[in-house]
Amino acid sequence: MPKKKTGARKKAENRREREKQLRASRSTIDLAKHPCNASMECDKCQRRQKNRAFCYFCNSVQKLPICAQCGKTKCMMKSSDCVIKHAGVYSTGLAMVGAICDFCEAWVCHGRKCLSTHACACPLTDAECVECERGVWDHGGRIFSCSFCHNFLCEDDQFEHQASCQVLEAETFKCVSCNRLGQHSCLRCKACFCDDHTRSKVFKQEKGKQPPCPKCGHETQETKDLSMSTRSLKFGRQTGGEEGDGASGYDAYWKNLASDKYAGASYHDEEDEYEAEEDEEEEDEGGKDSDTESSDLFTNLNLGRTYASGYAHYEEQEN
């Protein structure tokens, strides 16, 4: 039998485990909080964009560049890590930078550690938006990661993509390899798998983690923990009903849509005509009522003998 662990040994093992987790958390920084993906406002055009060496809009150089690895704007020479020695002098601006990263297009300071490690560990190495397929050099915005499929997203498509990410490429929640209910879902392949078909010979499952996708190797999640929905055919080829000649598909869909629009337009025209007729009838009734009221007012009025009554000339002759 193995020897029983003492209290000091248990404490030492727990301390080593905590230190290991801390080192891992330092190395894996959230993409939105990484210095190479920080938000920057141009000094000249005052436009907000991703941290980069030159402004995306006016190509001007910033007065206080930010290091893409450590995030500092001033080198205070506290250690002898600097490639360019500046004893007793704080360096800022272009005196602090040492290179430009080809992946994130941001300055890297002249520290030996930053220059030697950033290019290999840059989180924006293959940062291409999964929706618009634009890279860092093709747009001025920041890069984000989808919280479901963990693909790269640009600043323009991040909300729209995440709103429609949990949609399967199937009409049911059944496993793609059999007819059983899929208990695990891959949000990159947009497919469900049962317990048997998540076991793969290519991708091995790590202890304490969800089984990987047998197609792409991405970590799957349980379907019951997600707000998954199936594919909708509202804009697909199966939406339009078959016509007399058996034609169906996009043509039928657009014909039905156009007919609905024309029907709605005719309905609105009929409503407008009906309202116009009602307004005319109300105006006619209002005019008749006003005429009768005015005639009632002047029925009992006596102006005496006037020229209009035809008796005025007799009075003139008498005079």
Side-chain angles (χ1 to χ4, degrees), residues 31-32 34-41 47-52 54-57 103-106 124 127-129 132 134-145 152-158:
L31 183 61
H34 204 279
C36 68
N37 197 31
S39 180
M40 180 194 77
E41 187 175 346
R47 291 192 178 184
R48 191 165 293 278
Q49 56 196 290
K50 190 192 81 66
N51 177 27
R52 56 182 70 237
F54 306 98
C55 177
Y56 180 79
F57 302 100
F103 304 116
C104 62
E105 198 189 347
L124 304 181
E128 186 177 281
C129 180
C132 60
R134 292 186 300 173
V136 178
W137 294 77
D138 300 326
H139 65 95
R142 300 168 66 194
I143 300 293
F144 296 93
S145 178
F152 288 110
L153 295 170
C154 66
E155 202 165 356
D156 300 328
D157 298 326
Q158 58 163 332

Side-chain angles (χ1 to χ4, degrees), residues 103-201:
F103 304 116
C104 62
E105 198 189 347
W107 291 110
V108 182
C109 69
H110 59 217
R112 194 180 304 275
K113 182 180 179 182
C114 295
L115 288 173
S116 59
T117 60
H118 176 74
C120 300
C122 182
L124 304 181
T125 304
D126 299 321
E128 186 177 281
C129 180
V130 70
E131 292 287 337
C132 60
E133 297 181 356
R134 292 186 300 173
V136 178
W137 294 77
D138 300 326
H139 65 95
R142 300 168 66 194
I143 300 293
F144 296 93
S145 178
C146 179
S147 57
F148 303 111
C149 63
H150 303 288
N151 283 319
F152 288 110
L153 295 170
C154 66
E155 202 165 356
D156 300 328
D157 298 326
Q158 58 163 332
F159 296 111
E160 185 179 357
H161 171 82
Q162 291 187 103
S164 60
C165 186
Q166 300 186 71
V167 180
L168 295 175
E169 293 291 337
E171 299 176 10
T172 60
F173 290 98
K174 293 181 179 179
C175 177
V176 295
S177 300
C178 63
N179 205 26
R180 287 186 293 180
L181 184 65
Q183 299 177 358
H184 303 276
S185 299
C186 177
L187 290 168
R188 284 194 176 178
C189 300
K190 301 293 188 291
C192 288
F193 302 95
C194 61
D195 286 332
D196 294 339
H197 289 101
T198 50
R199 300 168 186 169
S200 174
K201 296 181 179 179

Side-chain angles (χ1 to χ4, degrees), residues 83-99:
V83 175
I84 303 171
K85 304 299 180 181
H86 48 92
V89 179
Y90 294 164
S91 63
T92 58
L94 294 180
M96 186 202 71
V97 300

Side-chain angles (χ1 to χ4, degrees), residues 249-300:
Y250 292 111
D251 191 19
Y253 169 74
W254 291 116
K255 285 181 180 178
N256 295 336
L257 187 63
S259 63
D260 293 340
K261 285 184 179 179
Y262 290 135
S266 62
Y267 176 71
H268 290 304
D269 294 341
E270 290 178 359
E271 281 189 348
D272 295 339
E273 291 177 359
Y274 181 70
E275 290 177 358
E277 290 177 358
E278 284 187 349
D279 294 338
E280 290 178 358
E281 290 178 358
E282 289 178 357
E283 289 177 359
D284 296 339
E285 290 177 358
K288 290 179 182 178
D289 294 340
S290 62
D291 294 340
T292 54
E293 289 177 359
S294 61
S295 61
D296 293 339
L297 289 173
F298 294 106
T299 49
N300 298 327

